Amino acid sequence: MNPQEQINKAIGAHGMWKVRLKDAISTGKSDANPNMVKADNNCEFGKWLYGSIAPELRNTPTYEIIVQYHAEFHKEAGRILQLALEGKKEDADNGMKASSAFASISSSLTSTMIEWKRSLM
């Protein structure tokens, strides 16, 4: 898979976390483990980012920014999932609001991945 395809796939997969988190908040259940979610190297994108990514991509300034945002994204997603599974629905809902750290990090990660993809074309 070329880098642009990998980035597109990552954008979609990370967007799906919003759906999964909202579902966990509403049901109090999830197949995901918060500690596994908090680790940024368990998802397919994280495995690519830390493993099979081409050295010329790893050596770009954007790579380090993506790594940081990606780690922050997973940390927040895991935190929100933990709240949902503990039945702290209001706190978990607040973690998903447009003004939340999760929303800000998610937006920054997505926009930076889009910019990175464009720079590779």
Side-chain angles (χ1 to χ4, degrees):
M1 185 177 308
N2 72 39
Q4 291 89 350
E5 291 171 334
Q6 188 65 45
I7 292 168
N8 281 340
K9 193 172 180 182
I11 291 169
H14 286 95
M16 286 302 299
W17 266 107
K18 294 175 188 174
V19 175
R20 293 178 77 187
L21 289 172
K22 287 180 182 179
D23 185 54
I25 292 167
S26 70
T27 65
K29 299 176 184 175
S30 175
D31 292 337
N33 174 307
N35 289 327
M36 293 292 288
V37 173
K38 288 177 186 177
D40 68 334
N41 62 347
N42 289 324
C43 69
E44 194 170 321
F45 182 69
K47 290 174 184 175
W48 175 75
L49 201 59
Y50 290 113
S52 61
I53 190 170
E56 62 270 17
L57 296 178
R58 189 183 304 266
N59 294 326
T60 64
T62 307
Y63 174 82
E64 291 300 323
I65 296 167
I66 294 287
V67 167
Q68 178 184 346
Y69 285 147
H70 187 244
E72 290 174 14
F73 174 91
H74 276 275
K75 182 179 175 184
E76 277 300 300
R79 184 185 72 78
I80 293 166
L81 180 59
Q82 183 70 47
L83 291 169
L85 297 179
E86 290 173 353
K88 298 177 181 175
K89 186 174 180 170
E90 186 176 337
D91 291 337
D93 275 332
N94 287 337
M96 296 288 296
K97 287 186 177 180
S99 61
S100 70
F102 177 80
S104 175
I105 292 163
S106 180
S107 175
S108 295
L109 175 61
T110 300
S111 63
T112 306
M113 285 196 291
I114 290 169
E115 289 172 23
W116 197 26
K117 183 179 79 168
R118 286 183 185 149
S119 76
L120 301 174
M121 295 179 163

